[in-house]
Amino acid sequence: MLVSVDKIIGEAIDDASADLRRLSLAIHSNPELAMEEVDASRLLTEYLDSAGYAVERGVAGLETAFVATFESAEGADGLCVGFCSEYDALAALGHGCGHNLIAISGVAMLIAIRRVMERCGVPGTVKLFGTPAEERVGGKILMLEKGVFDGVDVLLMVHPTAGYTGAWHSQCSLSLAVEYFGRAAHAALAPWDGINAGSAAIIAMQTLGVLREQLKPDWRTHGIITAGGRSANVVPDHSAIEYTVRTQWPGELAVLRERVLRVFESAALATGCTHKVVEELAYLDNRDNAVLGRMFEDLMQEKYGGHPVRGMGASTDFGNLSHRFISLHGMYDLDGSGSSNHTIEFTKGAATDAAHHRTLFAAKAVACIAAKCLVDRDFWESVKKAHRERPER
């Protein structure tokens, strides 16, 4: 009896559903910040080990990164398909971006493609990349620079949000840590002897607020003062700011970066402080493959109706991968509530049964897309053609 590839994928993921639910809830209940995802990484790799995958831990010199690999018994002459899992959390909010779900979605897709290779005798390799520190630092970028993704033909992942899309053009982003250094003094007896680093931070933030009037409508700047003094009767000798800038395109990001750096410098000049700026890795805009994205949207629409979301903001380090590889970053609806990412409502939603089932459906959809790349030569050629012909900016 012939069994469809879609049915094989559905059964494989359904068979693992209970295990995936346990993993998701364990990660959700113990949120770990970027580069600190020790327990999440351990839970995932132990599960993959027990399921018979070749697991390499600590890749790219990152303690919580890993790669799990399955090579078909028919050989590795076919495509190498890669999926990504994320599992870092947000400070104070926990899994307010649903990375506990992204973690299990990658595992689900890996399981599904392995089952297809085994049942259908399809040659090739499938890999799951455990990628830490998406919310900040940029684990995928560090792994990319170390060559961890080399040899992969296509990279895919899914991410919960409000609504669905297979054509998410994310924003480029750059995060900066700024410190001002002044001189302490008694705020009542001799304030003139001090150099107020707290004032430098305030001037910088106020000037950046004024700068927004001159920014393009789709550019974003936002940040917080993380240190501004320790006592009201002491002129602060140190202050700190965490700041992020975002634009639609890499060239624009370079322009906005320079303008913001001048603001930070001017605040130091105005107050007599010295200052230091540390830049994190720049996240590039995500560029989904048009053919893969259309198929994802068709599957989402068939299941849920409605229309794909367009014009969605935010950023991801997966964007940097999309500049180098054929890729899809499929966005799916968390739970039908309309909750926005990075809110406490989203954190709560990421632990619900509804979110679990929607995650598994999104994983099935993307696994079906990956399987089509493996077995349908004409489809794969159309994917490659779309990648070659995509507009550059």
Side-chain angles (χ1 to χ4, degrees), residues 82-158:
F83 301 112
C84 289
S85 284
E86 298 171 357
Y87 32 88
D88 61 320
L90 293 158
L93 281 176
H95 281 287
C97 211
H99 288 193
N100 60 303
L101 301 171
I102 301 173
I104 65 163
S105 70
V107 176
M109 293 183 286
L110 176 72
I111 290 169
I113 295 304
R114 174 181 178 174
R115 183 80 64 90
V116 169
M117 288 178 169
E118 291 175 333
R119 291 280 296 275
C120 301
V122 177
T125 305
V126 59
K127 293 177 177 284
L128 173 62
F129 297 95
T131 61
E134 188 275 339
E135 292 294 351
R136 57 179 306 164
V137 180
K140 295 181 191 66
I141 304 171
L142 296 171
M143 294 168 72
L144 177 66
E145 291 175 346
K146 293 291 188 178
V148 174
F149 300 100
D150 290 357
V152 173
D153 292 295
V154 59
L155 283 167
L156 310 102
M157 67 172 289
V158 295

Side-chain angles (χ1 to χ4, degrees), residues 15-352:
D15 289 346
S17 177
D19 288 339
L20 295 173
R21 180 69 169 146
R22 284 192 290 272
L23 285 169
S24 174
L25 291 178
I27 294 170
H28 188 277
S29 67
N30 181 30
E32 298 166 300
L33 302 182
M35 296 299 185
E36 300 174 6
E37 317 94 327
V38 175
D39 286 341
S41 179
R42 177 184 56 78
L43 287 168
L44 293 166
T45 54
E46 285 180 355
Y47 177 79
L48 294 165
D49 263 334
S50 68
Y53 295 94
V55 180
E56 182 182 0
R57 295 169 170 82
V59 297
L62 306 177
E63 180 185 359
T64 55
F66 66 86
V67 181
T69 304
F70 176 80
E71 184 177 306
S72 171
E74 301 300 316
D77 293 339
L79 299 182
C80 180
V81 175
F83 301 112
C84 289
S85 284
E86 298 171 357
Y87 32 88
D88 61 320
L90 293 158
L93 281 176
H95 281 287
C97 211
H99 288 193
N100 60 303
L101 301 171
I102 301 173
I104 65 163
S105 70
V107 176
M109 293 183 286
L110 176 72
I111 290 169
I113 295 304
R114 174 181 178 174
R115 183 80 64 90
V116 169
M117 288 178 169
E118 291 175 333
R119 291 280 296 275
C120 301
V122 177
T125 305
V126 59
K127 293 177 177 284
L128 173 62
F129 297 95
T131 61
E134 188 275 339
E135 292 294 351
R136 57 179 306 164
V137 180
K140 295 181 191 66
I141 304 171
L142 296 171
M143 294 168 72
L144 177 66
E145 291 175 346
K146 293 291 188 178
V148 174
F149 300 100
D150 290 357
V152 173
D153 292 295
V154 59
L155 283 167
L156 310 102
M157 67 172 289
V158 295
H159 195 302
T161 188
Y164 67 85
T165 182
W168 179 42
H169 181 244
S170 67
Q171 294 165 308
C172 303
S173 73
L174 174 66
S175 293
L176 309 100
V178 185
E179 290 184 279
Y180 291 101
F181 304 95
R183 183 169 63 238
H186 195 294
L189 289 178
W192 47 85
D193 287 337
I195 298 176
N196 198 319
S199 294
I202 292 169
I203 290 169
M205 293 294 281
Q206 290 177 332
T207 307
L208 289 163
V210 173
L211 178 65
R212 288 193 180 98
E213 182 183 354
Q214 308 299 318
L215 302 183
K216 293 183 178 181
D218 53 9
W219 291 10
R220 297 288 184 270
T221 66
H222 46 90
I224 58 171
I225 296 175
T226 58
R230 293 174 294 279
S231 177
N233 63 356
V234 178
V235 174
D237 62 355
H238 175 260
S239 64
I241 296 172
E242 290 183 3
Y243 213 78
T244 299
V245 298
R246 304 179 197 256
T247 64
Q248 289 296 304
W249 306 101
E252 294 176 333
L253 188 65
V255 172
L256 183 53
R257 171 186 174 274
E258 288 301 319
R259 296 181 72 176
V260 168
L261 287 176
R262 285 198 294 270
V263 168
F264 292 136
E265 183 180 5
S266 69
L269 181 64
T271 56
C273 291
T274 58
H275 80 301
K276 179 176 73 173
V277 179
V278 177
E279 301 180 31
E280 293 189 1
L281 297 167
Y283 288 22
L284 301 182
D285 52 313
N286 181 64
R287 302 181 185 184
D288 288 321
N289 181 272
V291 174
L292 301 179
R294 279 195 299 271
M295 184 173 175
F296 179 77
E297 290 182 350
D298 288 345
L299 292 169
M300 291 291 112
Q301 193 166 47
E302 182 181 343
K303 176 72 171 178
Y304 298 112
H307 298 283
V309 175
R310 297 289 185 254
M312 191 183 299
S315 308
T316 175
D317 56 357
F318 190 86
N320 297 58
L321 301 184
S322 77
H323 282 242
R324 287 272 301 273
F325 297 95
I326 297 171
S327 64
L328 172 66
H329 187 287
M331 305 288 271
Y332 67 96
D333 193 87
L334 173 71
D335 59 2
S337 68
S339 296
S340 178
N341 299 68
H342 292 205
T343 63
I344 192 62
E345 291 79 16
F346 205 92
T347 302
K348 293 176 180 177
T352 61

